[in-house]
Amino acid sequence: MTTLIVVGVIVVLLLFVVVGAYNRLVALDQTANQSFADIDVQLKQRQDLIPNLIETVKGYAAHEKGTLDAVIQARNAATSANSVNDKVQAENMLTGALGKLFALSEAYPDLKANTNFLQMQADLSDIENKLAAARRFFNNAVSEFNAIRRQFPTVLFAGMVGFGTDKPFFDVGKGERATMNAAPPTVNFQA
């Protein structure tokens, strides 16, 4: 009789551990999904700003068609990306293309002084700051999910209940990382 009670208590304790670990995985998965949705909102705002930015630049630098086309293609790829990995890759391409577009503005003083261009540049900068914060929150949520998924006893059953793989991080990508490791730009006020 006491053996049956001990076995029953052990089974109930194991059940509590498994249910608790599963519920923790579900909560962390939901947090990661919500934080990615927050990134999506910021990405959509950035993508919506780009057509107006391109039209403004066209008015001053229409013969820079290659740069403008690269931004348009990168934006189209970003809007059609679905998975986290596809979005990361597309957004990194878009960031690079926008960098070239803003570098182009240096060659056109009238464009650089245009109030619409300056406002869109400020709006884009604000969105980029919000995106950076949203990415940090997402990557933290993914890190926590991945760590719990790999911990004992969760690792024993995570795959069986649909949590068998790590979630991917939203990182800056190899090209962006190389740019960040390059020498900082020089500022020249003599122009």
Side-chain angles (χ1 to χ4, degrees):
M1 179 70 174
T2 57
T3 308
L4 189 60
I5 292 174
V6 169
V7 170
V9 168
I10 290 172
V11 168
V12 168
L13 286 176
L14 285 174
L15 186 62
F16 275 119
V17 168
V18 169
V19 168
Y22 174 78
N23 287 341
R24 179 84 171 131
L25 278 174
V26 169
L28 291 172
D29 183 54
Q30 185 61 30
T31 300
N33 291 340
Q34 180 211 347
S35 61
F36 189 76
D38 293 344
I39 290 174
D40 254 355
V41 168
Q42 298 303 321
L43 293 176
K44 175 84 169 94
Q45 287 178 348
R46 181 169 84 163
Q47 293 161 2
D48 289 347
L49 183 63
I50 291 171
N52 292 332
L53 185 64
I54 288 180
E55 287 303 314
T56 302
V57 172
K58 271 185 188 176
Y60 292 91
H63 62 281
E64 301 285 355
K65 186 160 177 48
T67 303
L68 297 174
D69 286 345
V71 173
I72 291 168
Q73 289 174 353
R75 179 193 179 270
N76 291 342
T79 56
S80 65
N82 292 320
S83 72
V84 173
N85 289 332
D86 290 345
K87 283 183 189 252
V88 168
Q89 185 176 11
E91 289 301 327
N92 288 335
M93 283 181 18
L94 182 56
T95 298
L98 285 172
K100 290 176 185 170
L101 183 69
F102 285 118
L104 179 74
S105 72
E106 295 295 320
Y108 297 92
D110 291 341
L111 172 62
K112 198 171 165 183
N114 180 290
T115 55
N116 287 339
F117 182 76
L118 291 174
Q119 182 59 48
M120 284 185 272
Q121 202 171 19
D123 291 346
L124 193 58
S125 178
D126 183 50
I127 290 170
E128 291 295 337
N129 289 335
K130 290 176 183 175
L131 257 173
R135 284 179 183 144
R136 278 191 302 274
F137 185 75
F138 172 75
N139 286 337
N140 185 49
V142 165
S143 177
E144 194 173 348
F145 172 85
N146 291 345
I148 294 294
R149 193 192 68 72
R150 293 180 191 173
Q151 291 175 357
F152 185 82
T154 311
V155 71
L156 299 175
F157 65 87
M160 292 183 282
V161 293
F163 298 111
T165 59
D166 282 351
K167 288 187 171 291
F169 290 97
F170 200 122
D171 65 356
V172 294
K174 291 177 185 172
E176 186 78 9
R177 193 172 297 116
T179 303
M180 290 177 0
N181 292 334
T186 56
V187 178
N188 183 359
F189 291 105
Q190 297 175 6

Coordinates of all heavy atoms in Angstrom, one line a residue, residues 122-165:
A122 N 14.6 61.9 -40.5 CA 14.4 61.9 -39.1 C 13.4 60.8 -38.7 O 13.6 60.1 -37.7 CB 13.9 63.2 -38.6
D123 N 12.4 60.6 -39.5 CA 11.4 59.6 -39.2 C 12.0 58.2 -39.3 O 11.8 57.3 -38.5 CB 10.2 59.7 -40.2 CG 9.3 60.9 -40.0 OD1 9.5 61.6 -38.9 OD2 8.5 61.2 -40.9
L124 N 12.8 58.0 -40.4 CA 13.5 56.7 -40.6 C 14.4 56.5 -39.4 O 14.5 55.3 -38.9 CB 14.2 56.7 -41.9 CG 14.7 55.4 -42.4 CD1 13.5 54.4 -42.5 CD2 15.4 55.5 -43.7
S125 N 15.1 57.5 -39.0 CA 16.0 57.3 -37.8 C 15.3 56.9 -36.6 O 15.7 56.0 -35.8 CB 16.8 58.6 -37.6 OG 17.7 58.5 -36.5
D126 N 14.1 57.5 -36.4 CA 13.3 57.1 -35.2 C 12.8 55.7 -35.3 O 12.9 54.9 -34.3 CB 12.1 58.1 -35.1 CG 11.2 57.8 -33.9 OD1 11.8 57.7 -32.8 OD2 10.0 57.7 -34.1
I127 N 12.4 55.3 -36.5 CA 11.9 53.9 -36.7 C 13.1 52.9 -36.5 O 12.9 51.9 -35.9 CB 11.3 53.8 -38.1 CG1 10.0 54.5 -38.2 CG2 11.2 52.3 -38.5 CD1 9.4 54.6 -39.6
E128 N 14.3 53.3 -37.0 CA 15.5 52.4 -36.8 C 15.8 52.2 -35.3 O 16.1 51.1 -34.9 CB 16.7 53.0 -37.5 CG 16.6 53.0 -39.0 CD 16.5 51.6 -39.6 OE1 17.0 50.6 -39.0 OE2 16.0 51.4 -40.7
N129 N 15.6 53.3 -34.5 CA 15.8 53.2 -33.1 C 14.8 52.3 -32.4 O 15.1 51.5 -31.6 CB 15.8 54.6 -32.4 CG 17.0 55.4 -32.8 OD1 18.1 54.9 -33.1 ND2 16.9 56.7 -32.7
K130 N 13.6 52.4 -32.8 CA 12.5 51.5 -32.3 C 12.7 50.1 -32.8 O 12.5 49.2 -32.0 CB 11.1 52.0 -32.8 CG 10.7 53.3 -32.1 CD 9.4 53.8 -32.7 CE 9.0 55.1 -32.1 NZ 7.8 55.7 -32.8
L131 N 13.2 49.9 -34.0 CA 13.5 48.6 -34.5 C 14.6 47.9 -33.7 O 14.5 46.7 -33.3 CB 14.0 48.7 -35.9 CG 13.0 48.3 -37.0 CD1 13.5 48.6 -38.4 CD2 12.5 46.8 -36.9
A132 N 15.6 48.7 -33.4 CA 16.7 48.2 -32.6 C 16.2 47.7 -31.2 O 16.6 46.6 -30.7 CB 17.8 49.2 -32.4
A133 N 15.4 48.5 -30.6 CA 14.8 48.1 -29.3 C 14.0 46.8 -29.4 O 14.0 45.9 -28.6 CB 14.0 49.2 -28.7
A134 N 13.1 46.8 -30.5 CA 12.3 45.6 -30.7 C 13.1 44.4 -31.0 O 12.8 43.3 -30.5 CB 11.3 45.9 -31.8
R135 N 14.2 44.5 -31.7 CA 15.0 43.4 -32.0 C 15.7 42.9 -30.7 O 15.8 41.6 -30.5 CB 16.1 43.8 -33.0 CG 15.6 43.8 -34.4 CD 16.8 44.3 -35.3 NE 16.3 44.4 -36.7 CZ 16.7 45.3 -37.5 NH1 17.7 46.2 -37.2 NH2 16.2 45.4 -38.7
R136 N 16.1 43.8 -29.9 CA 16.8 43.4 -28.6 C 15.8 42.6 -27.8 O 16.1 41.5 -27.2 CB 17.3 44.6 -27.8 CG 18.6 45.1 -28.3 CD 19.2 46.1 -27.3 NE 18.4 47.3 -27.1 CZ 18.4 48.3 -27.8 NH1 19.2 48.4 -28.9 NH2 17.6 49.4 -27.6
F137 N 14.5 43.1 -27.7 CA 13.5 42.4 -26.9 C 13.2 41.0 -27.5 O 13.1 40.0 -26.8 CB 12.2 43.2 -26.8 CG 11.2 42.6 -26.0 CD1 11.3 42.7 -24.6 CD2 10.1 42.0 -26.5 CE1 10.3 42.1 -23.8 CE2 9.1 41.4 -25.7 CZ 9.2 41.5 -24.3
F138 N 13.1 41.0 -28.8 CA 12.8 39.7 -29.5 C 14.0 38.7 -29.3 O 13.7 37.5 -28.9 CB 12.6 39.9 -31.0 CG 12.6 38.6 -31.8 CD1 11.4 37.9 -31.8 CD2 13.6 38.2 -32.6 CE1 11.3 36.7 -32.5 CE2 13.6 37.0 -33.3 CZ 12.4 36.3 -33.3
N139 N 15.2 39.1 -29.5 CA 16.3 38.3 -29.3 C 16.4 37.8 -27.9 O 16.8 36.6 -27.6 CB 17.6 38.9 -29.8 CG 17.7 39.0 -31.3 OD1 17.1 38.2 -32.0 ND2 18.5 39.9 -31.8
N140 N 16.1 38.6 -26.9 CA 16.1 38.2 -25.5 C 15.0 37.1 -25.3 O 15.3 36.1 -24.6 CB 15.8 39.4 -24.6 CG 15.9 39.0 -23.1 OD1 16.9 38.4 -22.7 ND2 14.9 39.4 -22.4
A141 N 13.8 37.3 -25.9 CA 12.8 36.3 -25.7 C 13.1 35.0 -26.4 O 12.9 33.9 -25.8 CB 11.5 36.9 -26.3
V142 N 13.8 35.1 -27.5 CA 14.2 33.9 -28.2 C 15.3 33.2 -27.4 O 15.3 31.9 -27.3 CB 14.7 34.2 -29.7 CG1 15.5 33.1 -30.3 CG2 13.6 34.6 -30.6
S143 N 16.2 33.9 -26.9 CA 17.3 33.3 -26.1 C 16.7 32.6 -24.9 O 17.2 31.5 -24.6 CB 18.3 34.4 -25.6 OG 19.2 33.9 -24.8
E144 N 15.8 33.2 -24.2 CA 15.2 32.6 -23.1 C 14.4 31.3 -23.5 O 14.5 30.3 -22.8 CB 14.2 33.5 -22.4 CG 13.8 33.1 -21.0 CD 13.0 34.2 -20.2 OE1 13.0 35.3 -20.7 OE2 12.4 33.8 -19.2
F145 N 13.7 31.4 -24.6 CA 12.9 30.2 -25.1 C 13.9 29.1 -25.4 O 13.7 27.9 -25.0 CB 12.1 30.6 -26.3 CG 11.5 29.4 -27.0 CD1 10.3 28.9 -26.6 CD2 12.1 28.7 -28.0 CE1 9.7 27.7 -27.2 CE2 11.6 27.6 -28.7 CZ 10.4 27.1 -28.2
N146 N 15.0 29.4 -26.2 CA 15.9 28.4 -26.6 C 16.6 27.8 -25.4 O 16.9 26.5 -25.3 CB 17.0 29.0 -27.5 CG 16.4 29.3 -28.9 OD1 15.3 28.9 -29.2 ND2 17.1 30.1 -29.7
A147 N 16.9 28.6 -24.4 CA 17.6 28.0 -23.2 C 16.7 27.1 -22.4 O 17.1 26.0 -22.0 CB 18.1 29.2 -22.3
I148 N 15.4 27.5 -22.2 CA 14.5 26.6 -21.5 C 14.3 25.3 -22.3 O 14.2 24.2 -21.7 CB 13.2 27.3 -21.2 CG1 13.4 28.5 -20.2 CG2 12.1 26.4 -20.7 CD1 13.8 28.1 -18.8
R149 N 14.1 25.4 -23.6 CA 13.9 24.3 -24.4 C 15.0 23.2 -24.3 O 14.8 22.0 -24.4 CB 13.7 24.7 -25.9 CG 13.2 23.6 -26.8 CD 13.3 24.0 -28.2 NE 14.7 24.0 -28.7 CZ 15.4 22.9 -28.9 NH1 14.9 21.7 -28.6 NH2 16.7 23.0 -29.3
R150 N 16.2 23.7 -24.1 CA 17.4 22.8 -24.0 C 17.6 22.3 -22.6 O 18.5 21.4 -22.4 CB 18.6 23.5 -24.5 CG 18.6 23.8 -25.9 CD 19.9 24.5 -26.3 NE 19.8 25.1 -27.6 CZ 20.8 25.9 -28.1 NH1 21.8 26.2 -27.4 NH2 20.7 26.4 -29.3
Q151 N 17.0 22.9 -21.6 CA 17.3 22.5 -20.2 C 16.5 21.2 -19.8 O 15.5 20.9 -20.4 CB 16.8 23.6 -19.2 CG 17.7 24.8 -19.3 CD 17.2 25.9 -18.4 OE1 16.2 25.8 -17.8 NE2 18.0 27.0 -18.4
F152 N 17.1 20.5 -18.9 CA 16.5 19.3 -18.3 C 15.4 19.7 -17.4 O 15.6 20.6 -16.6 CB 17.6 18.4 -17.6 CG 17.0 17.1 -17.1 CD1 16.9 16.1 -18.0 CD2 16.6 17.0 -15.8 CE1 16.4 14.8 -17.5 CE2 16.1 15.8 -15.3 CZ 16.0 14.7 -16.2
P153 N 14.3 19.2 -17.4 CA 13.7 18.0 -18.1 C 13.0 18.3 -19.4 O 12.6 17.5 -20.1 CB 12.8 17.4 -17.1 CG 12.2 18.6 -16.4 CD 13.3 19.6 -16.3
T154 N 13.0 19.6 -19.7 CA 12.2 20.1 -20.9 C 12.8 19.4 -22.2 O 12.0 19.1 -23.0 CB 12.3 21.6 -21.0 OG1 11.9 22.2 -19.7 CG2 11.3 22.1 -22.0
V155 N 14.1 19.3 -22.2 CA 14.7 18.7 -23.4 C 14.2 17.3 -23.7 O 14.2 16.9 -24.9 CB 16.2 18.7 -23.3 CG1 16.7 17.7 -22.3 CG2 16.9 18.5 -24.7
L156 N 13.7 16.6 -22.7 CA 13.2 15.2 -22.9 C 11.9 15.1 -23.7 O 11.7 14.1 -24.3 CB 13.0 14.6 -21.5 CG 14.3 14.4 -20.6 CD1 13.9 13.9 -19.3 CD2 15.3 13.6 -21.3
F157 N 11.1 16.2 -23.6 CA 9.8 16.1 -24.3 C 9.5 17.3 -25.2 O 8.4 17.3 -25.8 CB 8.7 15.9 -23.2 CG 8.5 17.1 -22.3 CD1 7.7 18.2 -22.7 CD2 9.2 17.2 -21.1 CE1 7.6 19.3 -21.9 CE2 9.0 18.3 -20.3 CZ 8.2 19.3 -20.7
A158 N 10.4 18.3 -25.3 CA 10.1 19.5 -26.1 C 9.8 19.1 -27.5 O 8.8 19.6 -28.1 CB 11.2 20.4 -26.0
G159 N 10.5 18.2 -28.1 CA 10.3 17.8 -29.5 C 8.9 17.1 -29.7 O 8.3 17.3 -30.7
M160 N 8.5 16.4 -28.7 CA 7.3 15.6 -28.8 C 6.1 16.5 -28.8 O 5.0 16.1 -29.3 CB 7.2 14.6 -27.7 CG 8.2 13.5 -27.8 SD 8.0 12.2 -26.5 CE 8.7 13.0 -25.1
V161 N 6.2 17.7 -28.2 CA 5.0 18.6 -28.0 C 5.2 19.8 -29.0 O 4.5 20.8 -28.8 CB 4.9 19.1 -26.6 CG1 4.4 17.9 -25.7 CG2 6.1 19.7 -26.0
G162 N 6.0 19.7 -30.0 CA 6.1 20.8 -31.0 C 7.1 21.8 -30.8 O 7.1 22.8 -31.5
F163 N 8.0 21.7 -29.9 CA 9.0 22.7 -29.6 C 10.4 22.1 -29.8 O 11.3 22.2 -29.0 CB 8.9 23.2 -28.2 CG 7.6 23.9 -27.9 CD1 6.7 23.4 -27.1 CD2 7.3 25.1 -28.5 CE1 5.5 24.0 -26.8 CE2 6.1 25.8 -28.3 CZ 5.2 25.2 -27.4
G164 N 10.6 21.3 -30.9 CA 11.8 20.6 -31.1 C 13.0 21.4 -31.7 O 14.1 20.9 -31.7
T165 N 12.8 22.6 -32.2 CA 13.9 23.3 -32.7 C 14.0 24.7 -32.1 O 13.0 25.2 -31.6 CB 13.7 23.5 -34.2 OG1 12.5 24.2 -34.5 CG2 13.7 22.2 -35.0

